[in-house]
């Protein structure tokens, strides 16, 4: 608890905000919007109550439902349960009571494997339900979508200036993005 004296949020605010952060992380995996990625997420709003912002309560309910679903499907859909539990276990340290910064994209790297397990289980379930081999066309489609996203992102990150300009564009309320971009401009005598 002493670590919270250096933060802009309390323990309760952190726990409420982390529910939204976990939903954000899942969204980054399932719907990889380039504008949601980046080094800086210091513009991620703090949840003050269950209703402020309004997305906090749905996030808490969604996380609770996913955890219960993982437990209830443990025997019938073990890969699905493993995927969800893997995701939450991977975030257990950084998304609970410790007074760390609220959100960092790199925390999702190992955890994303769990969501991939869930996707694989869903594809297997669709295949057994519908006996249609065309369902497996989703796999190369997903690979292509992720490859295109990665290509676009690597182009944005081709050099430090481009990287920071993209961060400022995608996170205009981020003080760190602006500060680092201004430092690069100053080093290049671009006042």
């Amino acid at each position: 608890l002493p670590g919270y004296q250096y933060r802009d949020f309390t323990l309760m605010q952190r726990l409420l905000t982390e529910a939204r952060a976990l939903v954000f992380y899942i969204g980054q995996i399932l719907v990889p919007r380039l504008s949601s990625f980046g080094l800086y997420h210091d513009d991620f709003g703090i949840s003050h109550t269950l209703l402020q912002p309004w997305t906090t309560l749905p996030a808490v309910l969604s996380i609770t439902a996913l955890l219960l679903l993982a437990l209830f499907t443990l025997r019938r859909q073990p890969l699905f349960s493993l995927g969800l539990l893997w995701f939450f276990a991977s975030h257990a340290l950084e998304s609970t009571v410790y007074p760390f910064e609220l959100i960092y994209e790199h925390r999702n790297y190992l955890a994303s494997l769990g969501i991939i397990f869930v996707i694989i289980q869903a594809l297997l379930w669709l295949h057994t339900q519908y006996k249609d081999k065309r369902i497996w066309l989703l796999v190369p489609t997903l690979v292509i979508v992720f490859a295109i996203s990665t290509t676009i992102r690597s182009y944005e990150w081709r050099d430090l200036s481009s990287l920071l300009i993209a961060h400022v564009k995608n996170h205009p309320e981020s003080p760190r993005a602006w500060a680092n971009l201004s430092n690069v401009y100053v080093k290049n005598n671009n006042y």
Side-chain angles (χ1 to χ4, degrees):
L1 286 177
Y4 281 97
Q5 68 187 1
Y6 305 108
R7 295 292 179 196
D8 296 341
F9 48 84
T10 64
L11 171 62
M12 185 54 67
Q13 290 171 335
R14 176 181 173 70
L15 293 174
L16 292 172
T17 305
E18 286 305 317
R20 289 182 29 250
L22 289 171
V23 170
F24 174 77
Y25 290 143
I26 292 170
Q28 281 189 309
I29 300 164
L30 296 178
V31 185
R33 294 175 303 116
L34 291 175
S35 62
S36 74
F37 292 111
L39 296 175
Y40 311 107
H41 292 285
D42 51 338
D43 57 346
F44 196 81
I46 295 171
S47 293
H48 298 282
T49 66
L50 277 173
L51 299 175
Q52 183 190 8
W54 70 269
T55 53
T56 305
L57 181 60
V60 168
L61 293 174
S62 297
I63 297 304
T64 304
L66 287 173
L67 280 167
L68 290 173
L69 185 62
L71 295 175
F72 288 135
T73 60
L74 195 56
R75 296 209 191 284
R76 288 178 283 129
Q77 301 291 335
L79 187 60
F80 180 82
S81 291
L82 172 67
L84 287 176
L85 294 173
W86 180 286
F87 176 80
F88 290 117
S90 297
H91 283 293
L93 180 65
E94 288 107 348
S95 294
T96 54
V97 298
Y98 297 103
F100 300 139
E101 297 223 14
L102 292 173
I103 186 168
Y104 272 116
E105 192 174 302
H106 69 271
R107 295 176 182 169
N108 211 23
Y109 294 167
L110 183 61
S112 65
L113 188 58
I115 302 302
I116 292 169
F117 289 160
V118 170
I119 292 168
I120 291 169
Q121 181 65 57
L123 289 172
L124 290 170
W125 180 81
L126 285 171
H127 177 67
T128 57
Q129 288 295 106
Y130 300 105
K131 305 286 189 224
D132 190 352
K133 297 205 185 307
R134 289 180 294 179
I135 288 171
W136 293 106
L137 292 175
L138 288 173
V139 173
T141 303
L142 288 173
V143 169
I144 290 169
V145 167
F146 292 144
I148 290 170
S149 295
T150 303
T151 303
I152 293 170
R153 190 170 187 198
S154 66
Y155 178 75
E156 282 184 342
W157 290 38
R158 67 190 176 276
D159 58 45
L160 187 57
S161 294
S162 300
L163 167 70
L164 294 172
I165 289 168
H167 285 320
V168 165
K169 185 180 90 179
N170 293 332
H171 298 279
E173 300 298 318
S174 168
R176 287 183 182 157
W178 281 103
N180 284 317
L181 180 61
S182 67
N183 288 339
V184 168
Y185 282 164
V186 167
K187 283 180 184 175
N188 293 331
N189 294 322
N190 184 357
Y191 301 101

